[in-house]
Amino acid sequence: MTSVQKEQPAAIALLCDAGGVVKQILHNGLDAELIAVGQPFGEALDAGSLEKGRTFFETVRAKGAAFDWELNLAIGQEIRSIRFGGSATADGVFIAGGPTRAAVIKLYEQFIHVVDSPNGASSNELVWQSDHDSQLYNELARLNNELITAQRELIKRNIELERLHEIKNQFIGVAAHDLRNPLQVIDGYSKLLLDKRFGGLSPEQHKFISVIKKNSDFMLKLITDLLYISKIEAGKLQLELKETDLLALLKKNVELNNLLAEQKQISIQFGADADVPRLPVDAAKIEQVLNNLLSNAIKFSRPSTKVLVRAYRKEGEAVISVKDEGQGIPTDELDRLFIPFESLSVKSTGGEESTGLGLAIVKRIVEGHRGKIWAQSEVGVGSTFTFSLPLT
């Protein structure tokens, strides 16, 4: 362990259980009092990195590995930025942090042999404990070494996949950002032309420019969604949690979306239990969730139907549902609803276009609030999208 400290004085390596509680400190070259066995990993983070740290940990568990996440540690009175990587183990998560990506990889190499071993025992110790018979020992040692090599290779591949995933998100973010500016110009000038700021238009000119405006609006929405989801997948979903009157927020959004619904002769009805308390949420992002669910309900419903929004309290959670009387979604397509760019058989009833990213963004925002979202549907009857948020 001493040699590791000389090579990486500003590094840390931990084994955590599935809930994020530290089971073993493999190396701590940062501060002896930074974290202790039995403490949650998050207690070592600065308050501003808590949400991002939680997302990092959940990403490791969900994807098997996460790489090159920058988190701030609270070391005494000092805030220090450290790069982190992690990989899922048999019963928890291995976390390594260092000043650079190379330092994190070196910690992986140093401690890979203990990642999936009980109590952090080394592979050789495990073999000696099983049998002293020479022939059996040699065979077990060979198999054990092959397993360690396979584990090391798997983690390297997971790290590389995560790195490529990050490069993809960065590329999408840069490309979308560079495309948005010229599209905003096209959209703005087409609006000026339609408003007759430069003189009247013939019917044919008005038709052509309306097509330009409609398509530029859609492309701007797509690019905005691409930028947003690339930020979320890069672990940069930042929530500004403030105590919020959830019922007032819901009522306001229902009223705003009613104006859109009236264009298709659809009515939105709102019902709520009185015991839904104020909640610590990011109001702007919860509005984004509500607007997406309501606009989808309008988009896929037939004229002269209704949409019911309901809010109630249940077992320590606030639950919000949006129920429509639309076409419904086939059962075998429900598990693809929240996947980006998935194409379903159900089409909008008024020719409205969809970017294919709205529900994926909604899911990430809800889960960022430590909530859950799900859907129920019956073809020909309608769909109900429900999400829950913890009361504390």
Side-chain angles (χ1 to χ4, degrees):
M1 192 69 70
T2 305
S3 61
V4 176
Q5 291 175 347
K6 289 179 180 178
E7 294 172 6
Q8 298 190 3
I12 189 167
L14 309 167
L15 277 176
C16 300
D17 65 16
V21 176
V22 177
K23 296 193 302 181
Q24 186 176 3
I25 299 173
L26 303 173
H27 172 67
N28 184 1
L30 291 167
D31 186 333
E33 299 180 359
L34 179 64
I35 194 155
V37 172
Q39 284 183 320
F41 167 65
E43 289 192 8
L45 301 178
D46 175 58
S49 285
L50 283 176
E51 186 61 39
K52 188 175 178 182
R54 186 181 298 116
T55 304
F56 162 69
F57 194 85
E58 291 171 355
T59 301
V60 174
R61 293 188 61 195
K63 296 184 177 181
F67 187 61
D68 210 22
W69 284 57
E70 187 171 336
L71 301 173
N72 292 332
L73 300 183
I75 303 176
Q77 299 299 314
E78 178 188 0
I79 303 299
R80 188 183 302 182
S81 293
I82 298 292
R83 293 185 180 277
F84 279 90
S87 65
T89 69
D91 58 354
V93 170
F94 169 65
I95 295 175
T100 64
R101 179 185 298 172
V104 174
I105 293 175
K106 186 173 287 188
L107 280 174
Y108 269 104
E109 294 286 346
Q110 183 72 25
F111 293 108
I112 182 58
H113 66 287
V114 301
V115 169
D116 283 317
S117 299
N119 302 319
S122 73
S123 306
N124 288 338
E125 289 172 338
L126 291 174
V127 170
W128 275 113
Q129 289 166 7
S130 28
D131 206 309
H132 290 287
D133 177 78
S134 178
Q135 184 178 357
L136 181 58
Y137 166 74
N138 289 334
E139 180 63 17
L140 286 173
R142 182 185 65 79
L143 292 173
N144 209 49
N145 288 334
E146 289 180 2
L147 177 60
I148 291 172
T149 301
Q151 288 174 338
R152 184 181 292 116
E153 185 62 28
L154 180 61
I155 286 183
K156 283 183 177 179
R157 288 177 183 270
N158 280 336
I159 290 172
E160 181 62 16
L161 284 173
E162 186 65 24
R163 187 182 71 83
L164 292 173
H165 183 65
E166 289 176 5
I167 291 173
K168 178 209 72 175
N169 283 334
Q170 290 171 5
F171 172 78
I172 289 174
V174 171
H177 185 272
D178 289 346
L179 285 170
R180 185 163 59 174
N181 290 335
L183 276 170
Q184 284 176 327
V185 173
I186 294 170
D187 188 70
Y189 273 100
S190 61
K191 187 176 187 303
L192 290 174
L193 289 169
L194 290 173
D195 291 343
K196 301 178 181 180
R197 298 289 184 89
F198 307 110
L201 299 172
S202 69
E204 189 175 32
Q205 288 173 331
H206 190 279
K207 177 183 175 182
F208 290 158
I209 295 172
S210 295
V211 171
I212 294 172
K213 179 71 169 64
K214 179 183 177 182
N215 282 277
S216 61
D217 283 343
F218 175 74
M219 290 179 72
L220 278 170
K221 175 71 167 61
L222 174 60
I223 284 171
T224 300
D225 285 351
L226 278 171
L227 282 168
Y228 198 84
I229 203 163
S230 64
K231 285 179 64 177
I232 292 174
E233 290 196 346
K236 296 177 181 176
L237 174 63
Q238 295 180 342
L239 300 176
E240 297 182 10
L241 302 179
K242 293 182 180 178
E243 192 118 323
T244 301
D245 187 336
L246 186 63
L247 298 186
L249 190 71
L250 288 168
K251 186 176 180 181
K252 182 182 75 170
N253 276 268
V254 167
E255 291 172 353
L256 290 173
N257 280 278
N258 248 326
L259 299 175
L260 299 174
E262 287 172 359
Q263 298 175 18
K264 291 181 71 173
Q265 294 81 52
I266 295 171
S267 66
I268 305 179
Q269 301 173 4
F270 176 52
D273 292 350
D275 62 345
V276 178
R278 296 171 67 88
L279 295 181
V281 298
D282 187 318
K285 289 184 172 60
I286 294 301
E287 278 193 283
Q288 190 174 351
V289 170
L290 294 168
N291 281 325
N292 186 280
L293 296 181
L294 284 170
S295 64
N296 277 353
I298 297 166
K299 188 184 300 180
F300 294 100
S301 291
R302 297 182 181 88
S304 303
T305 58
K306 64 178 181 289
V307 174
L308 175 62
V309 179
R310 187 180 170 218
Y312 57 95
R313 179 174 179 165
K314 182 181 179 182
E315 298 176 358
E317 295 179 322
V319 183
I320 299 95
S321 64
V322 178
K323 180 180 181 181
D324 64 52
E325 297 175 347
Q327 306 162 72
I329 304 162
T331 303
D332 60 350
E333 296 182 9
L334 285 174
D335 59 349
R336 292 157 45 201
L337 277 172
F338 301 101
I339 300 175
F341 300 114
E342 278 292 317
S343 179
L344 306 183
S345 60
V346 184
K347 305 301 177 185
S348 62
T349 56
E352 301 97 334
E353 295 181 278
S354 173
T355 65
L357 289 169
L359 287 176
I361 292 173
V362 162
K363 184 174 188 291
R364 285 158 174 77
I365 291 175
V366 170
E367 291 178 346
H369 282 81
R370 306 183 75 180
K372 301 182 292 290
I373 185 166
W374 63 95
Q376 297 168 296
S377 189
E378 184 178 347
V379 174
V381 177
S383 304
T384 302
F385 283 81
T386 308
F387 68 96
S388 62
L389 300 169
L391 296 181
T392 58

